[in-house]
Amino acid sequence: MPSSAPLRVLVTGAAGQIGYAVVLQIAKGDVFGNDQPIVLVLLDIPPLAAALEGVKLELQDCALPTLHGVEAVTDEAAGFKDIDYAFLIGAMPRKEGMERKDLLAANVRIFKSQGQALANHSKPTVKVLVVGNPANTNALVAAKYAAGKIPEQNFSAMTRLDHNRAAAQIALKVGVPVGNVKNVTIWGNHSSTQFPDASHAKVVKDGNEIDAISAINDNSWVQGDFISTVQKRGGVIIEKRKLSSAMSAAKAACDHMRDWHFGTPSGQHVSMAIVSDGSYGVPKGLVYSFPVTVDGSSKQWKIVQGLKIDDFAQSKLNATTKELEEERDDALAACEESKQ
Ligand SMILES: NC(=O)C1=CN([C@@H]2O[C@H](COP(=O)(O)OP(=O)(O)OC[C@H]3O[C@@H](n4cnc5c(N)ncnc54)[C@H](O)[C@@H]3O)[C@@H](O)[C@H]2O)C=CC1
Ligand SMILES: O=C([O-])CC(=O)C(=O)O
């Protein structure tokens, strides 16, 4: 039987397509465990109040022992009150032919306002995952507007979907189940400049753990199709579904938060976009995807240090850094213009 006090978990955009896919996984214990009670707080915009209420009713109808309460709200102050974890998903998705940074003007205001709401209403220990695009820069904005109240280390943006996509591509190439692949890395922005890096990954093949590079044995693929497939996967899904990834995005959000809550398995790292501390020469303050390990008891992440970066990798790191600097400058200018 559940014993500890319920965690308050906020999902924004809960009436949207990722929201609908994510809430069940959170509510049934996939993220915080089967013996951790939770109260789910669902936030969306006022025109979606009825749809949100419908999601709340369905969650009640799931009869889940871990779900101790569901609140459906359209007011930020109520939504952010005393929360322990925030899945910030609510934002406009891109359509065919757009880059994620084309969403900046529309979405950045949401994250400025939610940064302020976090500062004013949430627990100072709250852990924040930004999914809404452009995710890295939205997280930078939210962290900036919560500064002084919520430590910047508590903010992250989602590159776990890219990480999962990269592991899946390696598994398909080598012919092993995806569970046999670990330690891929996504560097930089959740955009087409990201650098999916197989060079530190390991694969279990025929019962032996070996370097993914040896198992793949095709360097032109590692430096070519592997990278471009992962970089462009979101766009391909939109082309085919006419909607952006939702099932896989929801699963990745749950993976990200589960590892933050419980810690990463020994000997494994995952990719999280977090506020750069200057590691690997990435300018401090950019929200940049790094290889990280998480200690489950302190819930603190650490950037894996000392990975070898060759000239090829460095040029990729530099390109995604440049894009993030431009996004940051555009976002901060847009925040200055919005007078709320
Ligand atoms: N980081 C990543 O890997 C991924 C990010 N995304 C992004 O996630 C976001 C959500 O995608 P979908 O669920 O497919 O979109 P959707 O359009 O189905 O749902 C978005 C929901 O957010 C709500 N919303 C808008 N403004 C809000 C606000 N201020 N407060 C609360 N809710 C608000 C909308 O009313 C809508 O219900 C998009 O920006 C999309 O590009 C999508 C896939 C992967
Ligand atoms: O591509 C998009 O716009 C949605 C997304 O972020 C992804 O699927 O990675």
Side-chain angles (χ1 to χ4, degrees):
M1 285 296 287
S3 53
S4 45
L7 291 173
R8 283 181 71 79
V9 181
L10 168 67
V11 177
T12 72
Q17 53 152 4
I18 299 175
Y20 193 70
V22 89
V23 289
L24 175 62
Q25 295 176 59
I26 302 169
K28 72 185 174 63
D30 290 0
V31 180
F32 302 105
N34 292 329
D35 55 1
Q36 172 60 59
I38 61 165
V39 170
L40 260 183
V41 185
L42 312 178
L43 175 71
D44 212 294
I45 53 175
L48 286 238
L52 198 61
E53 190 65 17
V55 177
K56 171 180 164 174
L57 299 183
E58 275 205 65
L59 279 164
Q60 291 171 344
D61 296 346
C62 289
L64 298 160
T66 40
L67 190 59
H68 282 212
V70 190
E71 298 169 17
V73 298
T74 56
D75 166 57
E76 274 181 1
F80 283 83
K81 188 161 174 44
D82 292 336
I83 50 166
D84 297 287
Y85 285 91
F87 291 71
L88 303 187
I89 298 169
M92 189 192 283
R94 68 175 168 149
K95 305 278 179 326
E96 233 171 320
M98 291 171 81
E99 285 296 326
R100 295 181 187 100
K101 63 183 162 199
D102 298 336
L103 297 168
L104 220 154
N107 287 344
V108 82
R109 281 152 215 247
I110 297 175
F111 292 88
K112 174 180 176 182
S113 170
Q114 294 185 353
Q116 291 164 335
L118 281 157
N120 291 335
H121 305 291
S122 303
K123 292 183 183 166
T125 50
V126 64
K127 306 285 184 289
V128 181
L129 166 62
V130 175
V131 174
N133 278 319
N136 299 52
T137 299
N138 288 336
L140 179 148
V141 167
K144 174 182 159 65
Y145 284 93
K149 290 282 182 62
I150 318 264
E152 64 182 18
Q153 291 84 353
N154 293 19
F155 287 83
S156 64
M158 189 164 94
T159 50
R160 185 59 173 266
L161 177 52
D162 311 290
H163 179 101
N164 289 349
R165 287 167 173 161
Q169 288 304 310
I170 293 172
L172 287 169
K173 177 81 174 169
V174 176
V176 296
V178 72
N180 290 22
V181 180
K182 67 176 187 187
N183 293 352
V184 297
T185 307
I186 304 298
W187 300 92
N189 201 3
H190 174 61
S191 75
S192 52
T193 66
Q194 66 176 271
F195 174 39
D197 182 2
S199 57
H200 315 288
K202 303 277 182 200
V203 167
V204 175
K205 189 159 189 244
D206 303 325
N208 299 313
E209 185 174 290
I210 55 173
D211 290 339
I213 296 295
S214 315
I216 295 166
N217 194 26
D218 181 351
N219 214 34
S220 65
W221 182 82
V222 169
Q223 296 200 345
D225 284 355
F226 166 66
I227 294 175
S228 58
T229 299
V230 178
Q231 285 176 332
K232 295 182 191 152
R233 188 64 153 202
V236 171
I237 304 289
I238 294 171
E239 202 184 300
K240 305 227 177 262
R241 260 176 35 90
K242 310 297 172 205
L243 285 170
S244 58
S245 305
M247 171 177 49
S248 55
K251 159 67 167 53
C254 292
D255 289 347
H256 177 116
M257 284 301 217
R258 188 196 57 238
D259 286 342
W260 205 350
H261 184 70
F262 285 112
T264 44
S266 165
Q268 288 193 34
H269 68 244
V270 294
S271 305
M272 279 172 72
I274 33 114
V275 180
S276 171
D277 61 358
S279 294
Y280 294 96
V282 175
K284 282 188 184 176
L286 286 184
V287 174
Y288 196 95
S289 182
F290 287 103
V292 300
T293 56
V294 184
D295 170 48
S297 44
S298 65
K299 309 204 188 306
Q300 302 292 314
W301 48 258
K302 265 197 196 139
I303 297 173
V304 178
Q305 299 294 334
L307 297 180
K308 188 173 178 311
I309 306 293
D310 62 15
D311 289 348
F312 176 80
Q314 190 60 57
S315 69
K316 299 285 180 197
L317 264 61
N318 293 347
T320 195
T321 296
K322 181 167 178 285
E323 182 184 49
L324 278 169
E325 288 177 320
E326 289 164 5
E327 279 188 24
R328 175 200 56 201
D329 295 346
D330 290 350
L332 295 182
C335 287
E336 285 299 306
E337 282 162 25
S338 76
K339 304 230 182 311
Q340 36 173 322

